[in-house]
């Protein structure tokens, strides 16, 4: 059968594997199974060692593993220059990165600090713009950029606070970037993932209640997995989604449609 996905030997950069629970690791597994070549970026050295262990355990090979702190323009520039030395052409980037200070996820949103607001937006939304700009010259054959969002971008989710506003900014950035980059055949979309227990999710105080609420009320009556997010990310990277850009695609058991 003809390969419908057309991912074989495409080079994709995955940003944000902290450990085996990371959504980015679910994405890596799906892309690997489809035959893509993978480049990883990490922030902390301990993420690098965890990633190397994961790759070994799963008999997977990375084309390249590079440090990249998305709060730092030089670090982003340097990472994509390094990638260019190795790969020349890339076909996509998975931006699976977000962070807010713990104190800004506690209590009322009203108490968000100026610094906390700026930091959450810098790390979780502006970084997509900076990454799009740095990766564009490498996507010479067109490409696909995917960001990870959450329902807190459009609804008030208790305990999500400033991160919800940063995700709203991320989703709007997806649309503006899609408009700019469409002429270069670069598509930009986000996956709005349901709640999944990861390191980042630990920072959300109401996380357990969110998981239970989804089980009780989502059409599929269950939570989603990182593998399901990985498979939809693969679809959004692949030839199958070539006509889709500027969209927010929900992988959330249908929870977002409920009143
Ligand atoms: P995770 O903790 O495994 O991944 C978050 C990643 O962000 C980590 O690898 C961390 O190193 C990276 N990061 C943070 N600051 C960074 C910086 N300055 N530079 C580079 N990297 C940085 O958690 P996750 O849940 O897999 O999160 C991945 C994405 O998925 C995030 O955008 C998150 O908001 C989103 N998301 C998560 C859920 C969920 O329930 N887990 C739901 C919807 C969306």
């Amino acid at each position: 059968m003809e390969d419908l996905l057309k991912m074989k030997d495409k080079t994709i950069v995955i940003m944000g594997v902290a450990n085996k629970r990371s959504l980015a690791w679910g994405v890596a597994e799906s892309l690997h199974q489809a035959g893509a070549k993978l480049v990883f970026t990490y922030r902390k050295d301990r993420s690098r060692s965890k990633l190397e262990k994961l790759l070994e355990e799963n008999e997977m090979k990375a084309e390249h593993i590079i440090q990249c702190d998305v709060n730092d323009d030089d670090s982003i520039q340097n990472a994509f220059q390094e990638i260019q030395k190795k790969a020349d052409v890339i076909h996509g980037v998975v931006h699976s990165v977000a962070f807010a200070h713990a104190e800004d996820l506690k209590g009322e949103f009203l108490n968000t600090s100026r610094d906390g607001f700026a930091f959450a937006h810098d790390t979780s939304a502006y970084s997509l713009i900076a990454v799009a700009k740095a990766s564009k010259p490498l996507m010479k054959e067109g490409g696909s950029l995917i960001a990870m969002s959450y329902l807190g971008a459009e609804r008030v989710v208790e305990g999500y606070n400033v991160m919800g506003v940063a995700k709203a900014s991320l989703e709007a950035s997806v649309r503006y970037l899609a408009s700019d980059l469409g002429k270069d055949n670069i598509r930009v979309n986000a996956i709005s993932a349901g709640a999944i227990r990861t390191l980042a999710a630990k920072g959300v105080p109401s996380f357990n209640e969110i998981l239970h609420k989804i089980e009780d009320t989502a059409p599929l009556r269950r939570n989603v997995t990182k593998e399901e997010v990985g498979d939809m990310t693969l679809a959004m990277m692949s030839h199958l989604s070539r006509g889709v850009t500027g969209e927010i695609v929900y992988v959330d058991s249908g929870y977002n449609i409920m009143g």
Side-chain angles (χ1 to χ4, degrees):
M1 192 178 83
E2 202 198 340
D3 176 14
L4 291 171
L5 299 172
K6 297 194 196 302
M7 290 305 293
K8 207 165 168 4
D9 295 329
K10 295 260 164 71
T11 301
I12 309 296
V13 178
I14 301 181
M15 312 181 75
V17 178
N19 58 37
K20 66 176 179 188
R21 291 178 181 270
S22 296
L23 302 197
W25 181 247
V27 174
E29 289 182 303
S30 296
L31 289 174
H32 170 72
Q33 280 157 22
K37 293 180 180 171
L38 306 179
V39 173
F40 293 89
T41 73
Y42 66 95
R43 180 179 51 153
K44 290 188 175 159
D45 287 341
R46 70 164 180 266
S47 299
R48 184 185 177 121
S49 2
K50 284 195 179 147
L51 173 63
E52 284 172 339
K53 199 161 160 244
L54 274 174
L55 289 166
E56 203 182 309
E57 282 168 5
N58 291 277
E59 293 176 9
M60 284 164 66
K61 196 176 127 289
E63 296 295 308
H64 207 37
I65 304 177
I66 300 157
Q67 209 267 339
C68 180
D69 179 351
V70 300
N71 292 129
D72 178 350
D73 281 332
D74 289 343
S75 177
I76 296 173
Q77 277 306 328
N78 182 55
F80 281 92
Q81 277 165 11
E82 285 298 310
I83 292 168
Q84 189 155 27
K85 281 185 203 158
K86 300 272 172 189
D88 192 38
V89 181
I90 65 165
H91 305 89
V93 182
V94 181
H95 174 287
S96 189
V97 166
F99 200 70
H101 293 310
E103 60 266 31
D104 289 310
L105 301 176
K106 283 188 195 126
E108 294 196 346
F109 173 68
L110 185 66
N111 295 322
T112 306
S113 66
R114 190 179 291 271
D115 280 355
F117 185 93
F119 179 71
H121 283 70
D122 186 69
T123 314
S124 315
Y126 179 75
S127 59
L128 180 70
I129 305 167
V131 163
K133 197 167 178 183
S135 60
K136 180 180 171 238
L138 283 77
M139 289 195 265
K140 295 168 195 162
E141 300 169 359
S144 172
L145 268 168
I146 310 284
M148 294 298 168
S149 194
Y150 176 60
L151 188 64
E154 49 191 300
R155 310 253 185 92
V156 174
V157 176
E158 205 191 312
Y160 206 60
N161 294 8
V162 70
M163 190 53 92
V165 185
K167 290 296 190 196
S169 170
L170 179 76
E171 292 188 3
S173 301
V174 162
R175 291 185 280 274
Y176 279 92
L177 288 170
S179 168
D180 280 355
L181 295 173
K183 55 186 177 301
D184 300 296
N185 196 26
I186 298 172
R187 302 182 292 110
V188 189
N189 294 286
I191 306 288
S192 184
I196 298 173
R197 208 178 284 285
T198 62
L199 205 58
K202 276 191 182 164
V204 180
S206 54
F207 195 74
N208 282 340
E209 289 94 273
I210 293 173
L211 287 176
H212 288 135
K213 204 167 161 194
I214 294 168
E215 273 173 4
D216 290 345
T217 58
L220 296 180
R221 299 289 194 279
R222 63 170 178 82
N223 285 290
V224 293
T225 63
K226 69 175 192 310
E227 287 75 15
E228 289 169 328
V229 172
D231 283 351
M232 182 52 83
T233 306
L234 166 61
M236 296 306 292
M237 271 290 163
S238 80
H239 186 68
L240 294 182
S241 61
R242 63 198 176 280
V244 183
T245 193
E247 290 297 333
I248 314 300
V249 180
Y250 295 87
V251 181
D252 68 344
S253 299
Y255 181 69
N256 74 93
I257 67 166
M258 301 307 285

